[in-house]
């Protein structure tokens, strides 16, 4: 069986460190590993509209931002198909048929959707489109027969929902769909990167992000002025806490041994740094400077590549256009297989027409 990746992002803002460790970085590694037959990366504008219906301009403006972020982290159109969701109408059609295989109560149980509804104050008035976006995600994944979906932990319920839809479809209509597997980050600190404010998830919608395209000064300011550490660690000599301390969470997610030796010499490993902090005598500013260096190692090359790609925006759109055409072809093929399996391919079902002619000739 072919190894196929499908994943993507909502164009609701520029991409941030959470996206990077949760999915983007892995995608680039998988892309360059040569182990996958096909890689589809989708800018999920239709999904973004499910909770931004009154603000299409925001979605429209952010398509190019996400595409620039893709290019600057190293997604390569020669190896990955980059495309725009709404321009592949087959995805909408698949969603419509899959919706018949899912119950309202099953959707209500989805913990990610539940918390997102709360976050958006949708409790009393959930847009139907938003409520059903896990079904549309199942359409996105299955349209490309994806076997692997590299995403952050918040996407686990979406993948489970998708697997259920595939099983249900295949058992009702015959084996037409491929069941995908989730690929979570291997580093546990990256499963769900918290925001700089210490809130459970770095998220565009919460305004607690460090963006991949932030300037070096903006990153420095976010860390020095806004990053949540340990409110009980007032003087350097005070014993400190690691749990819930974002500086350590980010160091767990981003730093390596070589960086420790270069930027914070005198410790054998990060655990020793943590022990020192817990005992007292290690200041937040020193740690924050270390983190700034660590992040700059990662972000400076991304920023530099972005500046280059920003010089030719038509080329970015051209990549999306070509990718969308290619994606469209694949999705159209799957949709026709799905319709054949469901026996709603009336015009090209020779057997149906023949059997019915015979039936009516006899009468
Ligand atoms: P929105 O607030 O508009 O939903 P978002 O910041 O949650 O935006 P998405 O576009 O929904 O971003 O997510 C895209 C991908 O990035 C998904 O695979 C998701 O799991 C991953 N991701 C997003 N935020 C984080 C995070 N803080 N930690 C790890 N992975 C993340
Ligand atoms: Mg999200």
């Amino acid at each position: 069986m072919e190894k196929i990746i499908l994943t993507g992002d909502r164009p609701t803002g520029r991409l941030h460190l959470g996206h990077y460790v949760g999915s983007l970085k892995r995608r680039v590694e998988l892309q360059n590993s040569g182990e996958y037959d096909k890689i589809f990366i989708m800018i999920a504008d239709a999904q973004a509209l499910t909770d931004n219906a009154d603000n299409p301009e925001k979605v429209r403006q952010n398509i190019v931002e996400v595409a620039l972020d893709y290019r600057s982290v190293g997604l390569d159109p020669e190896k990955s198909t980059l495309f725009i969701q709404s321009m592949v109408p087959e995805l909408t059609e698949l969603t419509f048929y899959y919706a018949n295989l899912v119950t309202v109560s099953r959707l209500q149980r989805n913990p990610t959707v539940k918390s997102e509804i709360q976050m958006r104050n949708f409790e009393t008035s959930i847009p139907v489109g938003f409520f059903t976006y896990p079904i549309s995600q199942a359409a996105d994944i299955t349209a490309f027969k994806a076997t692997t979906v590299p995403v952050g932990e918040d996407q686990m319920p979406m993948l489970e929902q998708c697997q259920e839809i595939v099983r249900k479809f295949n058992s009702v209509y015959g084996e037409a769909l491929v069941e995908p597997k989730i690929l979570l980050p291997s580093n546990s600190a990256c499963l769900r990167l918290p925001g700089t404010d210490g809130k459970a998830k770095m998220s565009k919608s919460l305004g607690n992000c460090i963006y991949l395209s932030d300037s070096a000064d903006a990153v420095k300011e976010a860390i020095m002025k806004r990053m949540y550490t340990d409110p009980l660690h007032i003087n350097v000599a005070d014993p400190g806490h690691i749990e819930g301390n974002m500086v350590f969470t980010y160091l767990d997610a981003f730093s390596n041994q070589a960086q420790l030796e270069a930027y914070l010499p005198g410790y054998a490993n990060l655990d020793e740094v943590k022990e020192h902090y817990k005992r007292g005598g290690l200041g937040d500013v020193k740690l924050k400077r270390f983190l700034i260096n660590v992040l700059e190692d990662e972000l400076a090359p991304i920023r530099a590549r972005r500046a280059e790609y920003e010089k030719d925006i038509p080329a970015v759109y051209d990549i999306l256009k070509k990718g969308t055409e290619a994606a469209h072809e694949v999705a159209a093929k799957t949709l026709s297989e799905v319709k054949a399996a469901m026996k709603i391919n009336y015009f090209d079902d020779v057997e149906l027409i023949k059997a019915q002619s015979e039936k009516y000739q006899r009468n």
Side-chain angles (χ1 to χ4, degrees), residues 141-159:
I141 295 166
T142 54
F144 298 95
K145 303 211 164 107
T147 50
T148 309
V149 184
V151 282
E153 194 187 34
D154 62 312
Q155 293 301 309
M156 185 93 99
M158 309 305 162
L159 256 289

Side-chain angles (χ1 to χ4, degrees), residues 9-10 12 16 18-19 22 151-152 154 193 201-205:
D9 308 273
R10 295 152 41 94
T12 49
H16 54 62
H19 299 119
V151 282
D154 62 312
L193 191 77
K201 182 171 170 263
M202 180 175 283
S203 168
K204 288 168 274 190
S205 313

Side-chain angles (χ1 to χ4, degrees), residues 9 36 50 55 87 136 146 150 164 175 309:
D9 308 273
Y36 286 82
T50 63
N55 201 355
M87 310 292 284
S136 119
E164 282 172 34
E175 297 281 324
Y309 293 123

